[in-house]
Amino acid sequence: MTGPLIDIRNISVGFTGKSSATLPVLRNIDLKVNAGESIGIVGESGSGKSTLALAAMGYLKSGLRLMEGSVAFQGQDMFARTRTELEQIRGGELALIPQNSGQSLTPTLRIGAQLVEALRLHADVPEAQYSAKAIELLGQVRLPDPAAIMTRFPHELSGGQQQRAAIGMALAGEPTALLLDEPTTGLDVTTQAHILELLRDIARDRGMAMVYVSHDLGAIARVCDRVVVMYAGEVVLEGSTRQVLKTPIHPYARGLLASIPRLSDPRLPVALDGRPPAPGGAGQGCSFIDRCALAQDGCRTSRPDLERLPSGEAVRCFHYQEAHQLSLTGSGAIPASLDGASPSALHLDYLAISYRRPGLYDKVLGRDSAGVPTVDGIEITVAKGETLGLVGESGSGKSTILKAIAGLLPPSGGKITVAGGQALAPEVEHRSPDHLRKIQLIFQNPDDSLNPRQTIAQILEQPLKLYFGLTGDALHQRSAEILDRVRLGAHYLDRLPSQLSGGEKQRVAIARAFAAEPDLVLCDEVTSALDVSVQAAVLDLLNDLKATQGTTYVFVSHDLAVVRALSDRVAVLYQGRLCELGPSADVYAMPSHPYTEVLLGAVLEPDPDTAPTLSADDVVELSPPAQGCPFQRRCPRKIGRICDTDTPPWQQGVKDHTIKCHHSIADLAAAQAEGAAGQRA
Amino acid sequence: MTVTSASPQNTGLMRTLSVLRDVVSRPSGAIGLFLVVFHVVLALVSPWIVPYDYKAMNSAMMLTGPEATHWLGTDHLGRDVFTRVLLGGREALLVTGIATPIAVTWGGFVGILFGLIGGRIDEVLMRVVDAFLSLPWILKMLVLIVTFGTGIEVLIPTLAFFYGIPVIRIARAATHDVVARDFVSAARARGHSRMTIIRHELLPNVLDTLMVEGAMRWSWMLLAFSSLSFLGFGVSPPTPDWGLMIADARGFMSFAPWGVLGPVIAVSSLIIGINLTADALAKALGIDRAQKAPV
Ligand SMILES: Nc1ncnc2c1ncn2[C@@H]1O[C@H](COP(=O)(O)OP(=O)(O)O)[C@@H](O)[C@H]1O
Ligand code: SF4
Ligand code: SF4
Ligand SMILES: [Mg+2]
């Protein structure tokens, strides 16, 4: 067979809206995937990425229908096949890996049984060899001890291991093409980097094609040959990964790239303001017009076609030749930062937190069952007006620490003091109204942190009534002012959260926190649930508020680039213990602690010319070791027994840069330099 | 800066209207709501529209079959069955109509409180509730009624008390789901009092569940009320009541079935109507109803 493996021709997909008009979700999409090729599909949430990937399988979510066009796999029309034929193909020659592999693994069946089932349905293997073949597949996805994994249930595996098992299952039918929908979103950076390397290798070895859907340009840069950029249901740019990521010729792609925070750039990313039109909401002109810096009158009256250029790119823009004028890197603001010494706003004094409380049995038996605390020995001082970044993988105790500061989780040891050296009561119920007002917490997901039954006005009134006793007109006036401060108009006051976009909701959550006129704002992954372009706007807003209000932030994120963009100082956490602490510029320029080195090495940049360095294994530890260094089980620079038995001391570097390791910073720097030299040789 | 806005009550009203529209647009909701409204209106106006005096006995016309002058025949005392069926739901609707809101209010409040407090206290208290629920309801009520008597002033608090207990379970479970969400943590971290958290954060989110639960409790309570009357612990004669009428006419069922059929159809249509409405309401509000109808 010649010709493309997957051939999508001019498909439009839509649903019937309230006014019984058909609203398009995908508009006139052409996409060809050749054998062995891997294609990335990027775009913000709602741009139609997943719908396109599913359509490639001949599948549409309920409510959606094919309005025109065709999808062919290996030359045959997918929408014309019977159900049995489709079932044979799906999971066999064409496999899908969804974002949450929990969806593709059956929770009640052992991994082995599920693999055997996949083999029985889709593989050409004699029954006697199912088991051996299954073990072989688990080995191929680099799961440790495949025979043992066979007998486990999905919940007994970590997120990364589940995703590997799901990939193993997808490989059972020897697929010629693999569709991946955000396969690493929600996984830790190190795990994500490992999974992507695995996918790259498998695709190369088997000559397998991949369609990789993601909002993460870093992941796309690592695994894809070609990239398709989608906006409001249309393809706006297509080209080689290098063309799209290095010299994109569509204004949207440039805006998207500029909105990504980079490890190498201390400036804030540039926000891409506005939001895409809802399905059916695009006018007769270009769908990007409301957000485009190059827009001209002509763009409003007619819709640009997807123009194929001799360079191999395809672009949907009248003025693509001028796109290079738009900056690609953050010419965003330099983050507001404090100068000179400043009094302390928050001091964590050997903070320890345990989730397990001693049970009745333990009390009777006089046993200390609290065991190894989840978080231990946290000693940090945050200066007034400073932003402290707190980074670590999921489960490293970031949220736990914030909850303790907010009084939601009483610590099991240590002390928390605020400005003026006053100790905070451990429980929120015992704190003075003044302390309560001065410390505010913003959560990761605004869908969860805003009461769905309250209007925005009611949400904002809560702190205003509680802390300032405002009522009537004054209350209303103040709510509107606060909303204005987060750049939302007063007409939002009467809406319910469900009537707002993700970014708008997060702004309301920020507005609510700032309504209290706080001194200290705790931000828990506040941009993780948002699209990159929206994330940049929220970062910008937080930075502005800090500059105008002189607020102190503790900013938690698993995303190292985001932390870099906003923080003056950064603390790296592993298993609830501090590893490294220092000014952001120094830590990012010279990550010294072995764990920081591993973590930063795994970060994927949206640049095809960079590659992650993977040193430590991506095992997930469930609890910290009882003694010694928390990183002892994974450390690539481990010294020996001393790391297992003795708590590492603080090692001083230049300025305030310190690490907790038995190596000195100088030794580690030398070892890193040697490693780099070794790689070059 | 001037700000104009619709009041929050307006948003609430709009939601109520749209839910109501949704309920009526479903066949089950339309039929159910019709039956319920029909019964309530009938109970209100029946004293003025009945053809006979419900007490008027006629020894010449005992247990006669349906005919033009007595549409549902007469009972063993020669009273008009149709008249008595029309009037027979008044007592039941009055008692349950007062007792249901009381049951849902107190059960809902306690359930939300348990759910918010959580931890060991909540678990112990729920064990007590479970133990109580495992006793046969009729036994519990008979003990109380036998002790205190059978007037409305005893029936209403008794029913309200017993039927509030299962509401605790439902309200607590619904609250647990809400308490885990960040907006409640946010309210706690701000330092709001427990009462404010219940009123502003929890109640609006469990209210839907409570409303559906309330409808269910109402139909269970009607059934219980009729059963009590049937057993002779509810309404006392000669006041017409469906349960009582069924009990009285039961002995003559083989040759005068209309005496039983009339009140049976009346009470079932009301209970079915409430259940259909509750079903449609649950669907309109997007609630999964685990509990099944009482019949
Ligand atoms: N409610 C809880 N009960 C018991 N353990 C918990 C609870 N919440 C979190 N943990 C554990 O505490 C550790 C730190 O979690 P968390 O603070 O949420 O980390 P992070 O915010 O860095 O992802 C993890 O091992 C997690 O499993
Ligand atoms: S066609 Fe016009 S509005 Fe659309 S992207 Fe190009 S310049 Fe911007
Ligand atoms: S103390 Fe030892 S195990 Fe821990 S980071 Fe340093 S070298 Fe590695
Ligand atoms: Mg967290």
Side-chain angles (χ1 to χ4, degrees):
Chain A
M1 187 195 70
T2 54
L5 187 63
I6 300 175
D7 190 359
I8 297 180
R9 289 195 186 188
N10 193 35
I11 61 163
S12 298
V13 170
F15 64 94
T16 310
K18 279 211 170 99
S19 59
S20 74
T22 302
L23 305 176
V25 176
L26 295 179
R27 295 198 285 169
N28 309 102
I29 303 239
D30 279 300
L31 181 67
K32 291 177 185 26
V33 184
N34 295 314
E37 186 181 35
S38 73
I39 298 230
I41 301 180
V42 295
E44 5 195 352
S45 56
S47 60
K49 314 183 287 290
S50 300
T51 308
L52 179 58
L54 289 174
M57 291 194 100
Y59 178 81
L60 295 175
K61 274 183 265 184
S62 78
L64 293 181
R65 64 189 174 77
L66 190 66
M67 291 152 64
E68 60 180 313
S70 67
V71 175
F73 177 65
Q74 295 178 333
Q76 290 195 45
D77 190 348
M78 289 297 274
F79 283 98
R81 298 200 191 191
T82 65
R83 211 193 174 85
T84 20
E85 281 174 333
L86 281 176
E87 271 166 18
Q88 192 53 44
I89 297 170
R90 292 183 194 151
E93 294 217 57
L94 186 59
L96 174 78
I97 295 178
Q99 171 172 352
N100 184 351
S101 51
Q103 288 166 359
S104 65
L105 298 174
T106 316
T108 50
L109 274 183
R110 292 179 201 278
I111 299 294
Q114 302 195 37
L115 270 167
V116 166
E117 178 65 11
L119 287 166
R120 198 178 59 72
L121 283 175
H122 297 295
D124 241 354
V125 188
E127 194 163 345
Q129 288 172 26
Y130 281 172
S131 204
K133 180 77 188 166
I135 291 179
E136 188 190 319
L137 284 171
L138 290 177
Q140 279 172 8
V141 294
R142 298 183 206 148
L143 277 165
D145 198 358
I149 298 272
M150 291 277 283
T151 63
R152 302 244 197 120
F153 288 102
H155 72 264
E156 295 171 316
L157 305 181
S158 70
Q161 288 174 328
Q162 283 180 359
Q163 199 57 283
R164 280 165 198 262
I167 295 171
M169 245 168 88
L171 295 180
E174 305 273 330
T176 50
L178 202 54
L179 304 174
L180 304 109
D181 192 356
E182 304 267 6
T184 60
T185 306
L187 298 179
D188 277 322
V189 261
T190 49
T191 312
Q192 173 183 31
H194 275 99
I195 299 260
L196 290 177
E197 292 313 295
L198 172 71
L199 285 171
R200 259 168 77 97
D201 293 350
I202 288 176
R204 192 163 299 154
D205 294 349
R206 300 184 171 228
M208 188 175 67
M210 288 200 287
V211 176
Y212 191 101
V213 175
S214 182
H215 70 280
D216 182 351
L217 288 169
I220 296 266
R222 194 66 197 135
V223 290
C224 298
D225 310 320
R226 271 201 301 146
V227 179
V228 170
V229 182
M230 296 196 54
Y231 186 78
E234 291 177 320
V235 172
V236 294
L237 178 65
E238 186 183 332
S240 72
T241 303
R242 184 169 303 278
Q243 286 168 333
V244 171
L245 296 183
K246 292 278 218 190
T247 54
I249 54 173
H250 192 279
Y252 171 61
R254 293 192 85 89
L256 199 58
L257 276 157
S259 69
I260 300 175
R262 314 279 176 120
L263 274 185
S264 51
D265 192 343
R267 287 172 303 180
L268 282 167
V270 190
L272 184 58
D273 283 327
R275 61 203 262 195
Q284 52 177 333
C286 173
S287 52
F288 188 58
I289 185 152
D290 292 336
R291 301 168 83 181
C292 183
L294 295 180
Q296 294 177 20
D297 286 347
C299 307
R300 195 167 298 283
T301 45
S302 54
R303 178 181 166 210
D305 287 325
L306 191 67
E307 192 178 333
R308 306 229 164 241
L309 308 179
S311 58
E313 293 156 284
V315 61
R316 191 186 290 278
C317 173
F318 294 125
H319 306 291
Y320 68 87
Q321 275 146 336
E322 288 139 53
H324 64 269
Q325 298 167 3
L326 300 172
S327 166
L328 259 187
T329 47
S331 68
I334 306 284
S337 84
L338 74 170
D339 26 48
S342 182
S344 137
L346 175 75
H347 178 61
L348 306 180
D349 191 5
Y350 284 96
L351 194 66
I353 308 157
S354 282
Y355 274 101
R356 265 201 71 192
R357 313 243 142 244
L360 190 62
Y361 285 121
D362 306 305
K363 276 189 189 143
V364 172
L365 299 174
R367 218 164 43 184
D368 176 21
S369 83
V372 190
T374 305
V375 168
D376 201 9
I378 303 297
E379 215 205 345
I380 306 178
T381 306
V382 189
K384 190 163 168 10
E386 185 184 41
T387 299
L388 174 79
L390 209 54
V391 292
E393 293 171 284
S394 69
S396 60
K398 308 181 294 292
S399 303
T400 305
I401 293 175
L402 291 194
K403 280 191 186 140
I405 301 173
L408 294 173
L409 196 68
S412 56
K415 241 182 15 204
I416 305 171
T417 46
V418 286
Q422 298 174 53
L424 277 181
E427 269 140 1
V428 73
E429 287 81 8
H430 302 139
R431 291 192 178 171
S432 71
D434 195 44
H435 281 163
L436 289 170
R437 180 183 66 74
K438 283 183 173 161
I439 300 177
Q440 294 291 316
L441 180 59
I442 308 175
F443 295 84
Q444 169 169 2
N445 189 347
D447 283 324
D448 213 46
S449 67
L450 302 181
N451 189 335
R453 289 274 183 270
Q454 291 177 347
T455 59
I456 305 307
Q458 288 172 314
I459 288 169
L460 295 177
E461 282 165 8
Q462 302 242 13
L464 294 175
K465 283 194 222 163
L466 179 71
Y467 299 129
F468 306 108
L470 294 183
T471 50
D473 279 349
L475 179 63
H476 205 91
Q477 198 76 20
R478 187 82 189 121
S479 308
E481 280 168 26
I482 288 167
L483 212 50
D484 186 55
R485 203 148 71 178
V486 296
R487 301 169 201 157
L488 291 177
H491 57 281
Y492 282 93
L493 283 173
D494 303 323
R495 303 217 194 148
L496 290 169
S498 57
Q499 294 164 317
L500 269 55
S501 73
E504 289 167 343
K505 279 183 261 197
Q506 196 59 294
R507 280 168 200 241
V508 171
I510 293 171
R512 176 175 65 184
F514 276 89
E517 308 290 338
D519 289 348
L520 174 65
V521 173
L522 312 170
C523 304
D524 192 357
E525 304 266 13
V526 290
T527 63
S528 304
L530 306 174
D531 272 316
V532 261
S533 63
V534 181
Q535 162 175 288
V538 168
L539 290 176
D540 195 47
L541 172 67
L542 286 172
N543 187 52
D544 256 14
L545 288 169
K546 169 178 160 180
T548 54
Q549 320 277 316
T551 324
T552 309
Y553 285 130
V554 178
F555 187 86
V556 158
S557 180
H558 71 282
D559 187 329
L560 291 120
V562 169
V563 168
R564 149 134 245 199
L566 210 62
S567 308
D568 302 305
R569 272 196 312 150
V570 56
V572 183
L573 217 56
Y574 186 74
Q575 289 284 335
R577 276 96 182 128
L578 283 175
C579 294
E580 184 154 0
L581 179 64
S584 297
D586 298 328
V587 173
Y588 281 87
M590 218 194 109
S592 300
H593 191 280
Y595 175 60
T596 317
E597 191 193 346
V598 166
L599 202 59
L600 279 168
V603 172
L604 299 162
E605 294 266 13
D607 179 346
D609 295 332
T610 60
T613 6
L614 303 177
S615 27
D617 293 337
D618 69 327
V619 285
V620 174
E621 298 189 68
L622 291 181
S623 62
Q627 51 179 358
C629 170
F631 195 48
Q632 56 182 260
R633 302 182 200 132
R634 287 172 67 188
C635 181
R637 301 199 187 280
K638 186 170 171 178
I639 298 170
R641 265 190 57 76
I642 185 170
C643 300
D644 297 336
T645 51
D646 291 13
T647 306
W650 281 110
Q651 305 270 2
Q652 198 66 36
V654 282
K655 286 193 276 180
D656 300 333
H657 189 179
T658 54
I659 64 166
K660 248 187 150 179
C661 179
H662 290 295
H663 285 296
S664 72
I665 289 190
D667 288 352
L668 287 163
Q672 285 179 23
E674 199 175 304
Q679 261 181 358
R680 269 197 300 276
Chain B
M1 178 165 38
T2 57
V3 185
T4 53
S5 99
S7 62
Q9 283 84 353
N10 242 337
T11 334
L13 187 68
M14 260 147 61
R15 178 159 183 273
T16 312
L17 283 178
S18 89
V19 167
L20 203 63
R21 221 173 292 135
D22 189 327
V23 168
V24 178
S25 73
R26 295 165 194 276
S28 65
I31 298 172
L33 210 55
F34 169 78
L35 286 173
V36 174
V37 171
F38 175 80
H39 273 286
V40 171
V41 170
L42 196 66
L44 290 173
V45 303
S46 53
W48 293 275
I49 61 163
V50 289
Y52 294 94
D53 180 359
Y54 68 90
K55 298 192 293 283
M57 296 186 246
N58 186 347
S59 48
M61 287 198 66
M62 290 191 302
L63 297 172
T64 54
E67 53 178 45
T69 49
H70 297 282
W71 291 358
L72 288 176
T74 57
D75 66 5
H76 62 293
L77 299 175
R79 296 174 296 193
D80 179 43
V81 173
F82 183 62
T83 297
R84 294 180 63 80
V85 167
L86 288 189
L87 291 168
R90 284 171 60 84
E91 207 76 3
L93 280 170
L94 178 70
V95 169
T96 58
I98 296 174
T100 305
I102 300 176
V104 174
T105 307
W106 88 261
F109 180 77
V110 172
I112 292 175
L113 198 61
F114 281 16
L116 177 61
I117 294 171
R120 197 154 298 165
I121 304 174
D122 168 49
E123 255 166 57
V124 171
L125 289 175
M126 279 321 287
R127 291 284 146 74
V128 176
V129 166
D130 283 343
F132 192 84
L133 284 175
S134 65
L135 295 172
W137 64 272
I138 197 117
L139 199 75
K140 294 178 281 200
M141 274 193 294
L142 285 181
V143 169
L144 267 168
I145 289 163
V146 168
T147 321
F148 297 108
T150 60
I152 284 191
E153 68 289 352
V154 175
L155 279 175
I156 290 178
T158 307
L159 287 169
F161 174 70
F162 285 107
Y163 282 79
I165 290 171
V167 179
I168 298 180
R169 278 206 133 264
I170 304 283
R172 171 185 175 266
T175 306
H176 269 260
D177 294 343
V178 183
V179 164
R181 301 189 52 184
D182 282 341
F183 61 81
V184 179
S185 305
R188 279 187 55 210
R190 274 199 304 273
H192 284 293
S193 69
R194 239 175 217 165
M195 275 305 139
T196 313
I197 292 179
I198 290 183
R199 221 169 24 165
H200 289 301
E201 312 293 339
L202 301 178
L203 189 61
N205 286 287
V206 293
L207 202 59
D208 289 356
T209 313
L210 279 182
M211 265 169 30
V212 174
E213 178 62 13
M216 292 307 302
R217 285 303 129 206
W218 187 20
S219 74
W220 281 94
M221 209 187 269
L222 270 167
L223 197 69
F225 181 87
S226 299
S227 312
L228 285 174
S229 291
F230 179 85
L231 294 172
F233 296 106
V235 181
S236 30
T239 311
D241 177 83
W242 296 328
L244 199 57
M245 289 169 72
I246 296 170
D248 286 347
R250 188 172 45 133
F252 320 107
M253 210 162 96
S254 50
F255 55 95
W258 48 87
V260 174
L261 223 53
V264 162
I265 290 176
V267 71
S268 333
S269 63
L270 177 54
I271 288 177
I272 289 171
I274 295 173
N275 273 302
L276 289 176
T277 312
D279 249 344
L281 186 63
K283 285 201 188 107
L285 295 170
I287 296 172
D288 268 335
R289 250 187 59 203
Q291 278 208 309
K292 283 279 153 265
V295 270

